[in-house]
Amino acid sequence: MDIQTKPRGCTSFKVRQLMRRLSTHYDAEVSKSGLKTTQYSLLSHLKRLGAVRPVDFAAELKMTASTLSRNMQPLIAAGWVAQSAGADARSRLVALTPEGDAKWREAQHHWKIAQQKLNALLGVERVLALHLLIDESLELFGVEDAPDCSD
């Protein structure tokens, strides 16, 4: 690889280009479970958090409550996420249902296959280096470690 003294090109474009490729790679495999990778991510976070108020869930995911609500509707309609009463009459909770847990397990199997294929394609050393670079870069931006989507 040719070492340059300063970056050439647009870093944002390059990262978006890589992200599109990664998204397509994971989507192709995870979709075999009937989920989008974004839906798998929501189920993964709910599995980790347990029953949670939507406002707290949205804050955890760093998204607006309206965006979360819109993204949760198909999961609720499918019976993978349930809404229930919260601590008082004005609050509610969302949680994974047993069917949602089963769907998460199915999708996790496909996510693991996608990860193994990516490791084989890029090489484990490159994937580890990419993770380290991403983690260090996010830390410089002041972003906390995000939970792993494989959990």
Side-chain angles (χ1 to χ4, degrees), residues 15-35:
V15 170
R16 283 195 320 269
Q17 190 176 33
L18 177 60
M19 192 57 225
R20 281 191 297 271
R21 297 283 183 172
L22 287 172
S23 292
T24 299
H25 173 83
Y26 280 94
D27 285 341
E29 187 61 43
V30 172
S31 69
K32 294 175 184 176
S33 70
L35 290 177

Side-chain angles (χ1 to χ4, degrees), residues 87-138:
D88 59 53
R90 293 180 7 180
S91 68
R92 59 191 169 102
L93 299 173
V94 291
L96 213 54
T97 64
E99 296 82 7
D101 188 66
K103 181 53 73 173
W104 174 83
R105 289 181 194 286
E106 178 187 355
Q108 184 190 41
H109 169 76
H110 291 287
W111 177 88
K112 285 181 178 181
I113 291 170
Q115 185 64 49
Q116 290 166 354
K117 288 179 179 178
L118 185 71
N119 291 349
L121 177 68
L122 299 181
V124 172
E125 297 81 16
R126 185 173 281 121
V127 173
L128 288 170
L130 183 59
H131 284 205
L132 181 61
L133 180 60
I134 291 167
D135 291 344
E136 289 173 347
S137 298
L138 288 172

